[in-house]
Amino acid sequence: MLAMLGLADEHVFSAHYVPFRSPSWAELASREAAERFAEGLWRWLLPRVEFETVVCIGEDRPGKPLAALLNAHLETSLPVGWGDITADRYRLPDGRALIALPHLSRFALFGRAASEAPLRRLFEVS
């Protein structure tokens, strides 16, 4: 992903939306409490971090909650070359983007020929 976007890893801020380990969202203990904690954490953090684009792994969680926190609207949902699996691009009021990808441990998108063109459209790169 960084190569496609022309970014060096030192220009990336990376963090888990919900900073608690679990094999899956469905198996996360105390999901409601974890999500309340995550929302408070990100509500505090986002105004303090300069960013051009937010990329998250997971469309429903954390894509939709982050979109709500950022007051972003769904701009497009594109198939990513894995059958009916899609990725979403939201647009913040100031024009920056939030990209919500399917989980990369389950859907290897980067370096995969069938996913290259949709990812380039999603990230708006040539």
Side-chain angles (χ1 to χ4, degrees):
M1 178 171 64
L2 296 180
M4 183 186 83
L5 297 174
L7 292 173
D9 54 350
E10 63 265 17
H11 294 126
V12 174
F13 170 78
S14 175
H16 291 276
Y17 176 70
V18 173
F20 308 111
R21 293 188 57 91
S22 175
S24 69
W25 181 254
E27 297 175 70
L28 178 64
S30 305
R31 280 192 312 250
E32 289 178 14
E35 194 157 27
R36 280 192 308 276
F37 176 83
E39 181 180 335
L41 175 66
W42 286 95
R43 188 177 303 282
W44 175 85
L45 181 65
L46 285 169
R48 292 165 171 78
V49 177
E50 291 183 34
F51 62 88
E52 293 178 24
T53 303
V54 172
V55 178
C56 65
I57 307 302
E59 292 177 85
D60 287 335
R61 301 269 188 307
K64 290 178 181 175
L66 281 174
L69 284 173
L70 293 166
N71 195 30
H73 69 276
L74 181 63
E75 186 173 71
T76 189
S77 186
L78 296 171
V80 290
W82 278 94
D84 61 355
I85 301 300
T86 61
D88 298 333
R89 182 176 61 232
Y90 293 85
R91 193 64 66 182
L92 282 67
D94 63 9
R96 294 179 293 173
L98 163 64
I99 309 292
L101 299 172
H103 206 288
L104 298 177
S105 70
R106 297 183 180 162
F107 303 100
L109 301 178
F110 295 93
R112 186 170 180 271
S115 300
E116 185 174 347
L119 288 171
R120 290 188 174 282
R121 282 197 312 276
L122 190 69
F123 281 94
E124 301 175 300
V125 296
S126 44

Coordinates of all heavy atoms in Angstrom, one line a residue, residues 46-79:
L46 N -7.9 12.4 17.2 CA -8.0 12.9 15.8 C -7.8 14.4 15.6 O -7.1 14.8 14.7 CB -9.4 12.5 15.2 CG -9.5 11.0 14.8 CD1 -10.9 10.6 14.4 CD2 -8.5 10.7 13.6
P47 N -8.3 15.2 16.5 CA -7.9 16.7 16.3 C -6.5 17.0 16.6 O -6.0 18.1 16.2 CB -8.8 17.3 17.4 CG -9.9 16.4 17.8 CD -9.2 15.0 17.5
R48 N -5.7 16.1 17.2 CA -4.3 16.3 17.5 C -3.3 15.8 16.5 O -2.1 15.9 16.6 CB -4.0 15.7 18.9 CG -4.7 16.5 20.0 CD -4.7 15.7 21.3 NE -5.3 16.4 22.4 CZ -6.5 16.7 22.7 NH1 -7.5 16.2 21.8 NH2 -6.9 17.4 23.7
V49 N -3.8 15.1 15.5 CA -3.0 14.4 14.5 C -3.2 15.1 13.2 O -4.4 15.2 12.7 CB -3.3 12.9 14.4 CG1 -2.5 12.2 13.3 CG2 -3.1 12.2 15.8
E50 N -2.2 15.5 12.5 CA -2.3 16.0 11.1 C -2.3 14.8 10.2 O -1.4 13.9 10.3 CB -1.1 16.9 10.8 CG -1.1 18.2 11.6 CD 0.0 19.2 11.2 OE1 0.4 19.2 10.0 OE2 0.5 19.9 12.1
F51 N -3.2 14.8 9.3 CA -3.3 13.7 8.3 C -3.9 14.2 7.0 O -4.6 15.1 7.0 CB -4.1 12.5 8.9 CG -5.5 12.8 9.2 CD1 -6.5 12.7 8.2 CD2 -5.9 13.3 10.4 CE1 -7.8 13.0 8.5 CE2 -7.2 13.6 10.7 CZ -8.2 13.4 9.7
E52 N -3.5 13.5 6.0 CA -4.1 13.7 4.6 C -5.2 12.8 4.4 O -6.2 13.1 3.8 CB -3.0 13.7 3.6 CG -2.0 14.8 3.6 CD -0.9 14.6 2.6 OE1 -1.2 14.0 1.5 OE2 0.2 15.1 2.8
T53 N -5.0 11.5 4.7 CA -5.9 10.4 4.5 C -5.9 9.5 5.7 O -4.9 9.2 6.2 CB -5.5 9.6 3.2 OG1 -5.4 10.5 2.1 CG2 -6.5 8.5 2.9
V54 N -7.1 9.0 6.0 CA -7.2 8.0 7.1 C -7.5 6.7 6.3 O -8.4 6.6 5.5 CB -8.3 8.3 8.1 CG1 -8.5 7.1 9.0 CG2 -8.0 9.5 8.9
V55 N -6.8 5.6 6.6 CA -7.0 4.3 6.1 C -7.3 3.4 7.2 O -6.5 3.3 8.2 CB -5.8 3.8 5.3 CG1 -6.1 2.4 4.7 CG2 -5.5 4.7 4.1
C56 N -8.4 2.7 7.2 CA -8.8 1.8 8.3 C -9.1 0.4 7.7 O -9.5 0.3 6.5 CB -9.9 2.3 9.1 SG -11.5 2.4 8.2
I57 N -8.9 -0.6 8.5 CA -9.1 -2.0 8.1 C -10.4 -2.4 8.7 O -10.5 -2.5 10.0 CB -7.9 -2.9 8.6 CG1 -6.6 -2.3 8.1 CG2 -8.2 -4.3 8.1 CD1 -6.5 -2.2 6.6
G58 N -11.4 -2.5 7.9 CA -12.8 -2.9 8.4 C -13.8 -1.8 8.0 O -13.6 -0.7 8.3
E59 N -14.8 -2.3 7.2 CA -15.8 -1.3 6.8 C -16.8 -0.9 7.8 O -17.0 0.3 8.1 CB -16.5 -1.8 5.5 CG -15.6 -1.9 4.3 CD -16.2 -2.6 3.1 OE1 -16.9 -1.8 2.4 OE2 -16.1 -3.8 3.0
D60 N -17.4 -1.9 8.5 CA -18.4 -1.6 9.5 C -17.7 -1.1 10.8 O -18.0 -0.1 11.4 CB -19.2 -2.8 9.9 CG -20.2 -3.1 8.8 OD1 -20.6 -2.2 8.0 OD2 -20.6 -4.3 8.6
R61 N -16.6 -1.8 11.2 CA -15.8 -1.4 12.4 C -14.4 -1.4 11.9 O -13.9 -2.5 11.6 CB -16.0 -2.4 13.6 CG -17.4 -2.5 14.1 CD -17.7 -1.5 15.1 NE -18.9 -1.6 15.9 CZ -20.2 -1.7 15.4 NH1 -20.4 -1.7 14.1 NH2 -21.2 -1.7 16.2
P62 N -13.7 -0.4 11.9 CA -14.0 1.0 12.4 C -14.5 2.0 11.3 O -14.6 3.1 11.6 CB -12.6 1.4 12.9 CG -11.7 0.8 12.0 CD -12.3 -0.5 11.6
G63 N -14.7 1.5 10.1 CA -15.0 2.5 9.0 C -16.2 3.4 9.4 O -16.1 4.6 9.3
K64 N -17.3 2.8 9.7 CA -18.5 3.7 10.0 C -18.3 4.5 11.2 O -18.7 5.7 11.2 CB -19.7 2.8 10.1 CG -20.1 2.2 8.7 CD -21.3 1.3 8.7 CE -21.6 0.8 7.3 NZ -22.7 -0.2 7.3
P65 N -17.8 4.0 12.4 CA -17.6 4.9 13.5 C -16.6 6.0 13.2 O -16.9 7.1 13.7 CB -17.1 3.9 14.6 CG -17.5 2.6 14.2 CD -17.6 2.6 12.7
L66 N -15.5 5.7 12.5 CA -14.6 6.8 12.2 C -15.2 7.8 11.3 O -15.0 9.0 11.4 CB -13.3 6.2 11.6 CG -12.3 5.6 12.6 CD1 -11.2 4.9 11.8 CD2 -11.8 6.7 13.5
A67 N -16.0 7.4 10.3 CA -16.7 8.3 9.4 C -17.6 9.2 10.2 O -17.6 10.4 10.0 CB -17.5 7.5 8.4
A68 N -18.3 8.7 11.2 CA -19.2 9.5 12.0 C -18.4 10.5 12.9 O -18.7 11.7 12.9 CB -20.0 8.6 13.0
L69 N -17.3 10.1 13.5 CA -16.4 11.0 14.2 C -15.8 12.1 13.4 O -15.7 13.2 13.9 CB -15.3 10.2 14.9 CG -15.6 9.4 16.1 CD1 -14.4 8.5 16.5 CD2 -16.1 10.2 17.3
L70 N -15.5 11.8 12.1 CA -14.9 12.8 11.2 C -16.0 13.5 10.4 O -15.6 14.4 9.6 CB -14.0 12.1 10.3 CG -12.7 11.5 10.9 CD1 -12.0 10.5 10.0 CD2 -11.8 12.6 11.4
N71 N -17.2 13.3 10.7 CA -18.3 13.9 9.9 C -18.1 13.7 8.4 O -18.3 14.6 7.6 CB -18.4 15.4 10.3 CG -19.7 16.0 9.9 OD1 -20.7 15.4 9.8 ND2 -19.7 17.3 9.5
A72 N -17.7 12.5 8.1 CA -17.5 12.2 6.6 C -18.7 11.5 6.0 O -19.4 10.8 6.7 CB -16.3 11.3 6.5
H73 N -18.9 11.7 4.8 CA -20.0 11.0 4.1 C -19.5 10.0 3.1 O -18.4 10.2 2.5 CB -20.9 12.0 3.3 CG -20.2 12.7 2.2 ND1 -19.4 13.8 2.3 CD2 -20.3 12.4 0.9 CE1 -19.0 14.1 1.1 NE2 -19.5 13.3 0.2
L74 N -20.2 8.9 2.9 CA -19.8 7.9 2.0 C -19.9 8.4 0.6 O -20.9 8.9 0.1 CB -20.8 6.7 2.1 CG -20.4 5.5 1.2 CD1 -19.1 4.9 1.5 CD2 -21.5 4.4 1.3
E75 N -18.7 8.3 -0.1 CA -18.6 8.9 -1.5 C -18.7 7.7 -2.5 O -19.4 7.9 -3.5 CB -17.2 9.6 -1.6 CG -17.0 10.3 -2.9 CD -15.8 11.1 -2.9 OE1 -14.7 10.5 -2.9 OE2 -15.9 12.3 -2.9
T76 N -18.1 6.6 -2.2 CA -18.1 5.5 -3.1 C -17.8 4.2 -2.4 O -17.1 4.2 -1.4 CB -17.2 5.7 -4.3 OG1 -17.5 4.7 -5.3 CG2 -15.7 5.6 -3.9
S77 N -18.4 3.1 -2.9 CA -18.1 1.8 -2.5 C -17.7 1.0 -3.7 O -18.6 0.9 -4.7 CB -19.3 1.2 -1.8 OG -19.0 -0.1 -1.2
L78 N -16.5 0.4 -3.8 CA -16.0 -0.2 -5.0 C -15.7 -1.7 -4.7 O -15.1 -2.0 -3.7 CB -14.7 0.5 -5.5 CG -14.9 1.9 -5.9 CD1 -13.5 2.5 -6.2 CD2 -15.7 2.0 -7.2
P79 N -16.0 -2.6 -5.7 CA -15.6 -3.9 -5.6 C -14.0 -3.9 -5.7 O -13.5 -3.2 -6.5 CB -16.2 -4.6 -6.8 CG -17.2 -3.7 -7.4 CD -16.9 -2.3 -6.8

